[in-house]
Amino acid sequence: MDRSIQQFKADFFKALAHPMRIRILEILSQGERNVNELQTMLESEGSAVSQQLSVLRAKNLVNTVKEGTTVIYSLRDPLISDLLGVARQIFNNHLVESISLLEDINKQS
C-alpha cells in the first residue's frame, strides 16, 4: 500500500512540475474559469493553455463542466489551494533565509 501512495504522490507532484500548471491551479483556487478566461489571465496562447489543462485533467487535479460550447474548469479538491499556500510559505521562508545570508555577507565585506 505504501508504494501506491508514494506513486500517487510522485504523479501528483509531476503534474505540478510546470509553472503554467501551477499558475492555472492558483487561478482556479479563486474560482472556476473557462479556457478563454484562463488564456487572458495567463497572457498565453490557447494551445499552450489547453496542453497544460490536459495534463491537469489527466492527473485528476481539475474538474470540467460543459455549458453549451464552453468548458468550465475548477479544482477537483480545495486542498490543492492549501498545498499551494504552503508551498508559497516555504518559498518565503527560503527567501528570508537567503536575504539574511546576503545581509551577513554584506556586513562582513
Side-chain angles (χ1 to χ4, degrees):
M1 177 129 131
D2 283 342
R3 283 187 190 241
S4 53
I5 291 171
Q6 291 167 345
Q7 187 61 52
F8 171 82
K9 288 178 183 178
D11 291 341
F12 179 83
F13 284 111
K14 282 180 194 175
L16 298 178
H18 191 283
M20 185 180 289
R21 290 195 292 264
I22 291 172
R23 184 66 187 124
I24 289 169
L25 294 172
E26 289 172 339
I27 291 169
L28 294 177
S29 291
Q30 300 165 7
E32 56 187 31
R33 300 277 189 252
N34 65 42
V35 176
N36 291 333
E37 291 170 324
L38 289 169
Q39 289 172 357
T40 300
M41 296 173 90
L42 294 165
E43 298 177 351
S44 184
E45 59 187 53
S47 61
V49 174
S50 293
Q51 181 181 19
Q52 301 311 324
L53 285 168
S54 177
V55 173
L56 294 173
R57 276 193 317 271
K59 297 298 181 181
N60 292 316
L61 296 179
V62 295
N63 286 327
T64 60
V65 175
K66 194 162 186 174
E67 294 181 2
T69 59
T70 304
V71 178
I72 307 294
Y73 289 86
S74 63
L75 292 182
R76 182 179 175 122
D77 189 326
L79 288 176
I80 293 170
S81 295
D82 296 341
L83 177 67
L84 295 172
V86 169
R88 185 180 305 265
Q89 289 174 335
I90 292 169
F91 172 79
N92 288 341
N93 290 344
H94 285 281
L95 187 59
V96 167
E97 290 172 10
S98 296
I99 290 170
S100 181
L101 179 62
L102 288 172
E103 289 173 346
D104 289 346
I105 291 170
N106 286 333
K107 288 177 186 175
Q108 295 173 4
S109 297

